[in-house]
Amino acid sequence: MDVKPRYKLHHSTVLDADPDTVWAEVRDVMKLVKIVFADMAESVEWVDGGRVEVVPSRYNFSLLPGHDLVQQQIAGRNEVERSVTYRTVARALCIMDYVATYRVRAVTNDPTRSYMEWTRDIQVADDAAPEVVEAIFGMMANQINAVRDYFAGPSA
């Protein structure tokens, strides 16, 4: 049996926006992809009849500069808990299998702010170069910062 390396990542941040405002933006993964990848993502689109209100729904996007195709699927959405779970449907870069969930929660002592956490379970190709894996994990760590910066107040 060929065992591929697996990793679990967890990132979190406090956002300068209330949970309803954040959720209104990030419940649509198309918007989240554009927030976290900015100009690095192109051709962000629903495929196979997918759309924000349908679960499961598939979507694709390409990452610059190499135009690497990322094919993913919304696997679950919980409006009450403000969470989305999504997964890969095909290998992307050196990632063989990927399941992630992000959640938006209230900050109990400050209703104008929210807490976002993002967990990922990743299986990489056994032939993946360590520096490539490290670069991808660094990119994922920076994605939570991109969300934080997107919702930062004007004084940030």
Side-chain angles (χ1 to χ4, degrees):
M1 179 163 63
D2 190 20
V3 178
K4 309 268 190 257
R6 287 199 87 82
Y7 301 89
K8 292 193 183 293
L9 304 177
H10 180 85
H11 300 100
S12 62
T13 191
V14 174
L15 305 172
D16 290 327
D18 67 89
D20 291 335
T21 299
V22 173
W23 183 242
E25 292 284 320
V26 302
R27 73 179 293 276
D28 181 351
V29 74
M30 296 289 105
K31 291 181 181 178
L32 183 67
V33 167
K34 291 173 183 175
I35 291 169
V36 300
F37 288 111
D39 295 337
M40 295 296 293
E42 65 176 2
S43 304
V44 182
E45 61 190 4
W46 294 107
V47 295
D48 298 335
R51 59 188 191 278
V52 71
E53 298 304 330
V54 176
V55 176
S57 278
R58 290 187 55 182
Y59 60 97
N60 294 343
F61 59 95
S62 297
L63 289 175
L64 297 172
H67 305 284
D68 296 296
L69 179 63
V70 178
Q71 301 173 62
Q72 296 183 329
Q73 178 184 54
I74 300 298
R77 180 183 304 108
N78 185 318
E79 297 290 343
V80 174
E81 293 186 10
R82 297 185 190 103
S83 69
V84 171
T85 298
Y86 62 99
R87 65 180 191 86
T88 56
V89 294
R91 179 180 174 160
L93 305 169
C94 66
I95 297 174
M96 304 296 294
D97 184 42
Y98 173 83
V99 177
T101 299
Y102 58 89
R103 289 180 180 82
V104 178
R105 300 178 189 266
V107 173
T108 55
N109 64 347
D110 188 348
T112 66
R113 301 176 88 199
S114 55
Y115 174 79
M116 184 174 182
E117 63 180 337
W118 205 332
T119 58
R120 297 172 164 115
D121 183 340
I122 304 161
Q123 184 176 46
V124 299
D126 55 357
D127 62 348
E131 61 273 8
V132 172
V133 174
E134 185 176 319
I136 289 171
F137 290 177
M139 173 192 66
M140 289 177 177
N142 285 329
Q143 289 174 343
I144 197 81
N145 297 333
V147 174
R148 181 199 62 219
D149 295 348
Y150 180 83
F151 288 103
S155 62

